[in-house]
Amino acid sequence: MKNKTGIVLLVLVGIAYSVLFALNEPKALPALQESLHVLLFIIPILAVVFFLMALLNTFVDEKSIAKHIGEGSSLKGWSIALVSGILSHGPAYVWYPLLQDLRNKGINDGLIITFLYARAIKIPWIPMMISYFGLSFTVIFSIYILVGALLQGLLSNQLNRVLGSRNL
Amino acid sequence: MKRFGQALKGALKNLMMIAPMLLAIIGAIGLFKTYITPEMLKTLFNGSPLHDMLVGISVGGVSVGQPFLSYLVGGELLDNGASFYGVTAFILSFVTLGVVQLPLSFSIFGLRFTLIQNVLALLFSFVLAFSITYTLQVFS
């Protein structure tokens, strides 16, 4: 993991805030408050994710992953990726470290991509989607997301096979 | 128990490694939410399906926030004359693409994974926006 990129980006965001505060403090303050709000929102989710990572590293080894949801994934693997994607909570980036851990243990990229796309179905927000766009839209939208998530997973595995170990 | 303690330490080390990037992204999210308003977004749509799909995907891809925000903005866009194609594309890209998250994805998963994932998500935003709206029209 390239730690320096994060530090550079953090410095750039810090500079942007400093400039905005200097130019127009009343407008910049809500931006900072919004960021703090997001931070407070993701802290409990991060805690859950890192607890799951620790559990995973303690009780799940590469062999069992490879057996159930590794290379040449079975229906079980794809189903797990779809359902866990739908059920996962919080922003996608919070899940990245856990997903990378799973990759290191042998889960193929297709399953990760399927997981990430299936996250477009947000169960807690479904009533709101229905109230804005109707039941038909919500049902069709959700079905297409599931199909799209699966297709993207399969396509990415195919692409990885074609590209082999080539670096981009 | 000892193994779990070591695993917790490893997870904490991982958290510390991504902390600067995470904080940077959270800072950027605050800026986006404050400086890019729904009113600004509305002016970009004109009701033409292809134009609105392109705009919807571009705007949704750079927008950040809770998914319900995309429904709120999407509903307003529909009321203001944007096509269903554009609004569907906007919602799809809002929840599946994330320009702000790209640096973190790149630093954790690497360039190849990030590129494949985002190019596929981009293409599928077009395909699914069209398919969803078309299916909806057929059934209604």
Side-chain angles (χ1 to χ4, degrees), chain A residues 75-149:
Chain A
L75 184 67
K76 189 178 171 185
W78 294 107
S79 310
I80 291 173
L82 280 174
V83 173
S84 53
I86 295 168
L87 297 178
S88 66
H89 188 60
Y93 56 82
V94 174
W95 294 90
Y96 288 174
L98 177 67
L99 295 174
Q100 181 57 22
D101 253 17
L102 287 168
R103 273 179 97 205
N104 292 338
K105 284 179 181 288
I107 280 201
N108 65 59
D109 287 1
L111 289 171
I112 307 286
I113 286 175
T114 295
F115 170 91
L116 288 171
Y117 206 81
R119 289 175 37 79
I121 298 175
K122 306 283 186 189
I123 291 176
W125 299 113
I126 281 182
M128 191 172 182
M129 191 181 231
I130 294 173
S131 76
Y132 267 86
F133 306 105
L135 181 64
S136 309
F137 176 87
T138 308
V139 171
I140 293 168
F141 181 89
S142 305
I143 292 171
Y144 272 106
I145 289 290
L146 289 177
V147 175

Side-chain angles (χ1 to χ4, degrees), chain B residues 71-91:
Chain B
Y71 309 157
L72 282 171
V73 176
E76 286 213 35
L77 290 172
L78 269 183
D79 291 343
N80 283 277
S83 68
F84 226 103
Y85 289 96
V87 173
T88 310
F90 170 75
I91 296 170

Side-chain angles (χ1 to χ4, degrees), chain A residues 7-165:
Chain A
I7 294 168
V8 171
L9 213 64
L10 186 59
V11 169
L12 287 175
V13 171
I15 293 171
Y17 270 100
S18 309
V19 172
L20 290 167
F21 262 95
L23 291 174
N24 187 355
E25 194 185 323
K27 181 108 193 239
L29 192 62
L32 192 62
Q33 285 169 335
E34 188 62 58
S35 293
L36 286 174
H37 183 76
V38 174
L39 183 64
L40 290 176
F41 171 73
I42 68 159
I43 282 174
I45 305 164
L46 266 179
V48 172
V49 168
F50 282 91
F51 185 70
L52 284 176
M53 278 175 77
L55 279 181
L56 187 87
N57 285 326
T58 311
F59 299 109
V60 184
D61 59 15
E62 287 82 350
K63 277 183 190 166
S64 59
I65 292 259
K67 190 180 164 195
H68 296 291
I69 43 179
E71 280 298 328
S73 320
S74 58
L75 184 67
K76 189 178 171 185
W78 294 107
S79 310
I80 291 173
L82 280 174
V83 173
S84 53
I86 295 168
L87 297 178
S88 66
H89 188 60
Y93 56 82
V94 174
W95 294 90
Y96 288 174
L98 177 67
L99 295 174
Q100 181 57 22
D101 253 17
L102 287 168
R103 273 179 97 205
N104 292 338
K105 284 179 181 288
I107 280 201
N108 65 59
D109 287 1
L111 289 171
I112 307 286
I113 286 175
T114 295
F115 170 91
L116 288 171
Y117 206 81
R119 289 175 37 79
I121 298 175
K122 306 283 186 189
I123 291 176
W125 299 113
I126 281 182
M128 191 172 182
M129 191 181 231
I130 294 173
S131 76
Y132 267 86
F133 306 105
L135 181 64
S136 309
F137 176 87
T138 308
V139 171
I140 293 168
F141 181 89
S142 305
I143 292 171
Y144 272 106
I145 289 290
L146 289 177
V147 175
L150 209 54
L151 283 177
Q152 283 179 63
L154 292 167
L155 274 171
S156 68
N157 278 352
Q158 200 59 40
L159 265 171
N160 276 325
R161 250 173 243 130
V162 173
L163 290 169
S165 56

Side-chain angles (χ1 to χ4, degrees), chain B residues 20-69:
Chain B
M21 181 73 83
L22 208 56
L23 287 173
I25 285 168
I26 291 167
I29 288 172
L31 291 175
F32 269 96
K33 278 183 160 179
T34 310
Y35 286 91
I36 299 174
T37 62
E39 285 69 31
M40 285 180 193
L41 303 183
K42 266 189 244 170
T43 58
L44 301 170
F45 292 83
N46 71 5
S48 146
L50 188 63
H51 172 270
D52 282 4
M53 264 167 68
L54 281 168
V55 173
I57 287 169
S58 313
V59 172
V62 297
S63 302
V64 284
Q66 286 285 310
F68 75 89
L69 284 175

